[in-house]
Amino acid sequence: AMMLLNGKVDRVIGTDINPNAIACAKDNLTRLNLSDKVDLVQTNLFPPENAVSSTKADVIICNPPWLPGKANSWLDRAVYDDDGMSFLRDFLLHANKYLKHSSDDDDDNNNPEAEVWLVLSDIAE
């Protein structure tokens, strides 16, 4: 998300269920002088509607847990999903309602080709 701010993205909303991840992101954003461009919300998947602006996204990036297995710690939860698909399934089922679509407004800068990016790490292997 921080790299996107150096490109064409003006605002980022970051979410994580882990309070330690939110605290780490806040520290990193402060060091990089980007705190004023990012809203961080501790939640599972998408932020509640009342937590941030109702603006829809041009890009949603998700780094889901993807290995089937039991998570025994916060760190494990970043890699292991109980059945290997429940987090990803929920994400894909709901991502579309958070994306900006050409019918959402009449703004000429609207992005009719909003995107979802899945980032899968092989760090666990």
Side-chain angles (χ1 to χ4, degrees), residues 2 15-29 31 40-43 72-78:
M2 292 175 211
T15 66
D16 203 297
I17 196 168
N18 183 341
N20 297 323
I22 295 291
C24 180
K26 282 182 183 178
D27 288 344
N28 289 333
L29 291 165
R31 280 196 323 261
L40 294 173
V41 181
Q42 184 181 339
T43 187
N72 295 311
S73 69
W74 279 113
L75 185 58
D76 286 353
R77 289 185 75 172

Side-chain angles (χ1 to χ4, degrees), residues 35-89:
S35 297
D36 61 329
K37 295 183 178 185
V38 179
D39 294 313
L40 294 173
V41 181
Q42 184 181 339
T43 187
N44 193 21
L45 288 174
F46 300 101
E49 289 181 22
N50 62 350
V52 293
S53 164
S54 62
T55 302
K56 293 193 176 187
D58 293 312
V59 178
I60 298 175
I61 301 171
C62 180
N63 183 9
W66 56 277
L67 291 177
K70 183 173 171 41
N72 295 311
S73 69
W74 279 113
L75 185 58
D76 286 353
R77 289 185 75 172
V79 178
Y80 295 104
D81 192 353
D82 289 336
D83 71 3
M85 292 296 289
S86 61
F87 182 96
L88 184 57
R89 186 180 316 108

